[in-house]
Every structure is written in structure tokens, then in C-alpha cells.
Amino acid sequence: MLGVTKLLCETIKTEQGAGHKRHGHGPAPAGLPSNGSIGGCKQGASARLLQFAEDKRPVVVWNITKRCNLKCIHCYSDSLNKDYAGELRTEEAKAVIDDLAAFGAPVIIFSGGDPLLREDIFEIAKYAGSKGIRCALSTNGVLIDKKTAQAIKEANFAYVGVSIDGIGEFNDRFRGMIGAYNMALEGIRSCRDIGVRTGLRFTLNKRTLPQLPAIFDLAEREDIPRIYISHLVYSGRGRKISKDDLSHEETRQTLDFIFKKAMEFDDKGMEKDVLTGNNDADGIYLYMKVKKENPDKAERVYKLLKMRGGNSSGVAIGCIDNLGNVHADQFWSHYSFGNVKQRPFSEIWTDKKDPIMRGLKNKKESVMGRCSQCAFLDICGGNYRVRAEAIYGNVWAEDPACYLTDEEIGVKNQCAVKIAK
């Protein structure tokens, strides 16, 4: 994900107070003073800097169950409200946590399905916390009443992301349950009111785009400190609506709006953390916008983007699914590197005998098409291989959702990519 507010408004602080261990950390990187400020930041909230860490142990998205009480049109895991045989038992989950802790994984994002449908979710999260792993919760929010919010707090979840894709009836239709919006909003309020850091999660596509301004209004009205806006990834049911992805021009206009809102929040002195995710062209686009207005600031932004490194699937982000299969990220459910019931995650993750794993850890020599010639490959990382595979049938082809022009990224001669027959 890209910290839009952190970069545009220069609210970044160093790892002190970020709430996680940074493995192999040393002095602040060049260009970042050790006092944590990179230039006149107004906001005092400590920033999460995992995306800028140099030693990138993987953040693990753990789809702890596939069961879900909603049926969202764009669900990447294609979840249904049913039991799935073979899901990891409590003790198996704890054994995985032991390995992740020893390996140095800094964060587990418990997701699904909806993780709150697992009766042992709080026991598992508490155990992870006791091992020094920071835990976050990704949920549709409809199960969060005051009692559940208190349980979330007692389990020491550092953050709760609640998915809302529009206001009122629109959200209910898109996510497949009448009343889902009101229940999710009450869940957010219940967490917020007892001091659990909570944020909105929203996915961009042609259907949801008109709802985006209202999402920002909701965050301001309800004092929600974090807004995460995801691009559409063509996985699960999301693959079935790939035709509803934004055009390149729509994407650029949307990013302009997002950047504007982040700056407006900062100008008002409101501590709102705006982020985008799942399209690493966003970082380049932001850098180019800043460069036109403030070259010195753009240089600082570029340094941070290079530290971030762009897409980190198979490197600094990984996924364990409900059955224990290990994937490059949460969108790669169709391809597994191994199963934690047979081999430890740490062993699977460092085994480069698999050609996909090897390629992800060395994308400069793997990517094709425009990506291979892009002047910004160091800060984009080749974007999402899943989208390339979905459209071209080739994992290493260019990402079709890259909305930057050949001129902008320094591509002079278009490369041929292998198109699926």
C-alpha cells in the first residue's frame, strides 16, 4: 500500500513508536533525519513505516477462514457462508505463529472470509501478540457490536479495517446483505469509541467510483482516522468484473481527487491517513505530480518510494489461506508454494526452487513488456503479476492496469508480450 498522506503531507516519522519491531534496523536512512521529521509535518500521530523498511520480512495476510456472511461482488477469495473442511485448527495456527515469530514476520493481518466467524480468533490473536507480532483485523464489520469491540481491544489488535464500498443501500447491494452498511458503521463506532484504531477499506471500480466522495465525507463526519482505497485486482469474483475496472484516464482523475482530499484533511489539521493499494503506479504518479510543483520535496518522496520498492508480492507480503497453503499475496489463491501443515512458512518462503518464487524475488530479470523498460521499475516493482496473468495469460507480462504513458515511464520501443491464445 502507498501512504499518500505520509508522502504528500510529509507526516512520516521513523520507526520509533510505530508499534512493531523492525528487523535489522539501524540508523535512519539517508535523507531521513533521526528525529523522525522530513519537513514541517503538522500531524503528530506516529506513522507505520513497514512499507519503507529496508529489511523486508513479510507481512502475512492470513485468511484464517474462508467462510463469510456477505457475498461481495468483487471478493478476491470467492468466499461463501458455509463451512470449509480442512481449515487450520487452533493448535496448528499457534504452531504457525511460533514459526512466523522466529522468522521475524512483523505483522499478521487476519482476514478471510470474515475472521470474526472463527470462535478462536481472539485466542489466536492474543497468542500472536504474546510472541511480539503486531496484529491487524480485516473484516466486513457487521459482527462488531460493543461486546465484540471490547474483545478486539482485549486481544490487542493494533488496527481494524472495515470494508465499506458505498453508502447505505448501494453498499448493501454490492456486498450482498440488506443492512450491512448500518451494521458495519455501528461496528466502526463501537471500535472507535473504546480507542481501537479503525479505518475504512474501499475498492475502486466503475460501480463504486461515484461513492468515493461520500466515503471521504463519512470518514470526516465519523472521525475515522484511516481511509484505504484499493484498486481492483482480477482475482476470485473480482476476475469476473475486470471489465468494470477504471479506464486509465478515470484512474488518473481518481488519484488526483484522492491526493486533493489528503491535502485538504492536512490543511484542516485533521489527522487522516489516506492510503491507496494494489496499483504501484500510484507512487510514480504521485512523485511526478509533486515534482512539477516542488522538486526538493519530490526528491525526498523519491527516496522513500525507492526504499518502499513497489510491489512486494513474494518478498515483503505473503498470504496463508484457510487450509494452510502459502501464496505470494492474497490474490494468488490459484498458486501455492507449499502448505504450513507440511513445511514451516519460513522454509517455504525462502525456498527459491519454485520458479514463480524465484522470479518474484528477482523481478528485474523476470518482467516483460513495458515493465522491463520502465525507468521506475525500482519504485514500482513491476506492479501486480496476477492482473498480467488474468489478461495476458503470462505472469511476467506488463500489468494492464498501469495508467502511465510510455513517455512518462521512459519506454521508447514497445516490447512484445506473450498473449494467451
Side-chain angles (χ1 to χ4, degrees), residues 126-347:
K126 286 179 182 177
Y127 187 77
S130 74
K131 297 293 182 176
I133 301 177
R134 183 170 176 259
C135 295
L137 183 69
S138 181
T139 173
N140 58 46
V142 303
L143 295 175
I144 304 178
D145 54 16
K146 293 185 184 302
K147 181 179 178 181
T148 302
Q150 185 61 40
I152 290 171
K153 183 174 184 177
E154 291 173 359
N156 294 316
F157 277 103
Y159 173 74
V160 178
V162 177
S163 297
I164 291 180
D165 288 298
I167 305 301
E169 291 182 1
F170 178 89
N171 179 82
D172 295 353
R173 290 194 302 272
F174 195 81
R175 301 187 69 83
M177 176 189 281
I178 296 172
Y181 173 79
N182 287 332
M183 287 186 281
L185 186 54
E186 284 304 311
I188 290 171
R189 289 167 175 164
S190 294
C191 288
R192 177 202 64 195
D193 291 348
I194 61 171
V196 176
R197 182 173 169 81
T198 311
L200 297 170
R201 299 174 59 87
F202 176 90
T203 300
L204 288 169
N205 56 75
K206 291 184 187 295
R207 305 187 202 190
T208 62
L209 181 58
Q211 299 287 313
L212 184 58
I215 291 294
F216 278 98
D217 292 343
L218 176 66
E220 183 169 356
R221 185 172 64 251
E222 294 289 340
D223 193 25
I224 300 169
R226 195 172 193 259
I227 307 106
Y228 171 75
I229 301 157
S230 172
H231 294 263
L232 183 67
V233 181
Y234 316 149
S235 177
R237 293 198 286 269
R239 188 165 184 166
K240 297 176 183 177
I241 64 165
S242 60
K243 66 183 185 302
D244 291 334
D245 199 3
L246 303 185
S247 69
H248 291 177
E249 184 56 34
E250 287 172 327
T251 303
R252 295 172 77 103
Q253 292 174 3
T254 301
L255 266 292
D256 289 343
F257 175 76
I258 292 169
F259 296 165
K260 178 184 175 184
K261 294 302 294 185
M263 294 292 286
E264 285 178 359
F265 284 143
D266 189 64
D267 288 342
K268 293 177 181 178
M270 303 178 72
E271 296 186 3
K272 304 290 184 190
D273 198 9
V274 178
L275 306 98
T276 65
N278 303 326
N279 193 326
D280 292 277
D282 292 354
I284 303 167
Y285 189 63
L286 184 148
Y287 163 72
M288 291 189 300
K289 298 282 285 188
V290 172
K291 189 176 181 181
K292 290 179 182 178
E293 300 177 5
N294 189 333
D296 290 339
K297 179 178 175 180
E299 185 177 344
R300 297 191 295 269
V301 167
Y302 187 89
K303 286 180 180 179
L304 287 165
L305 289 172
K306 193 165 185 179
M307 288 165 59
R308 176 178 175 269
N311 179 274
S312 56
S313 302
V315 181
I317 186 79
C319 178
I320 303 172
D321 69 20
N322 59 313
L323 304 178
N325 297 308
V326 175
H327 310 280
D329 61 40
Q330 64 269 37
F331 305 109
W332 283 65
S333 59
H334 60 291
Y335 192 92
S336 171
F337 300 117
N339 191 289
V340 295
K341 294 178 182 178
Q342 281 83 48
R343 298 171 68 198
F345 177 92
S346 57
E347 184 178 318

Side-chain angles (χ1 to χ4, degrees), residues 336-364:
S336 171
F337 300 117
N339 191 289
V340 295
K341 294 178 182 178
Q342 281 83 48
R343 298 171 68 198
F345 177 92
S346 57
E347 184 178 318
I348 295 170
W349 201 249
T350 53
D351 186 352
K352 296 182 183 179
K353 289 193 291 291
D354 184 285
I356 299 295
M357 180 66 85
R358 186 167 61 251
L360 289 171
K361 286 180 164 58
N362 190 17
K363 279 188 284 188
K364 281 188 177 182

Side-chain angles (χ1 to χ4, degrees), residues 239 389-394 417-421:
R239 188 165 184 166
E389 183 182 26
I391 299 301
Y392 299 121
N394 181 351
V417 295
K418 187 183 294 182
I419 308 297
K421 299 291 185 182

